[in-house]
Amino acid sequence: MSAGAPGGAAVKARTFCRRSVRIVRTVIGGGIAAVMLLSNATQETAAQSAYEACVNNASAVYDASHAAECKRFAEQTEHDRADCLGQLKLSPSYCDASYPSRDGSPNCKLPAENATTSDAAFERARYRCARENGTGQ
């Protein structure tokens, strides 16, 4: 038997063990990285879902507020027209021209100052949703 043969086997065994350990570490490290990526993706999905729910709620509030303003403006205009005719006893043509009938449906076109205020409130709500849910949108 040669003197180098047993030592050669030991070197081969140590090399094999080191390679095996590196492979196991790589597999475990990759698995941890995969778990971390999956966790981050789950958190991002949850944050996106929470953001969308928040924006949907803000949109529902905006729609309800817009509809209420449409109804209020239509009723106010009708009331003002009735006062023009009844209390002020002005001509129907004057009152009709001064207080034209307004669309009281939920999708009416609001005066610019009211629409701008409502739109700004909705944008603030969207910004708050993004801030609260960390989506950065």
Side-chain angles (χ1 to χ4, degrees):
M1 210 169 180
S2 104
V11 168
K12 287 182 181 178
R14 277 194 306 266
T15 302
F16 177 76
C17 285
R18 286 183 184 138
R19 285 184 184 156
S20 297
V21 167
R22 272 189 253 139
I23 290 170
V24 168
R25 284 183 181 158
T26 301
V27 169
I28 290 173
I32 291 171
V35 168
M36 290 175 62
L37 285 173
L38 182 59
S39 175
N40 287 344
T42 302
Q43 289 173 351
E44 288 174 10
T45 300
Q48 183 65 30
S49 294
Y51 168 78
E52 289 172 7
C54 184
V55 169
N56 287 341
N57 184 49
S59 181
V61 169
Y62 171 82
D63 291 344
S65 175
H66 185 92
E69 279 295 293
C70 289
K71 183 178 177 186
R72 186 183 73 76
F73 272 116
E75 289 173 352
Q76 182 64 49
T77 300
E78 188 57 38
H79 175 66
D80 292 345
R81 183 179 177 282
D83 283 350
C84 181
L85 292 169
Q87 291 181 0
L88 300 175
K89 307 234 185 279
L90 297 171
S91 72
S93 61
Y94 175 82
C95 294
D96 289 344
S98 298
Y99 303 102
S101 183
R102 286 190 172 269
D103 178 10
S105 73
N107 298 319
C108 77
K109 182 173 179 170
L110 291 171
E113 63 274 2
N114 295 82
T116 301
T117 302
S118 296
D119 292 346
F122 179 64
E123 287 305 313
R124 282 192 306 275
R126 283 184 46 173
Y127 176 75
R128 179 185 47 78
C129 292
R131 201 176 62 235
E132 287 175 359
N133 296 292
T135 60
Q137 293 189 6

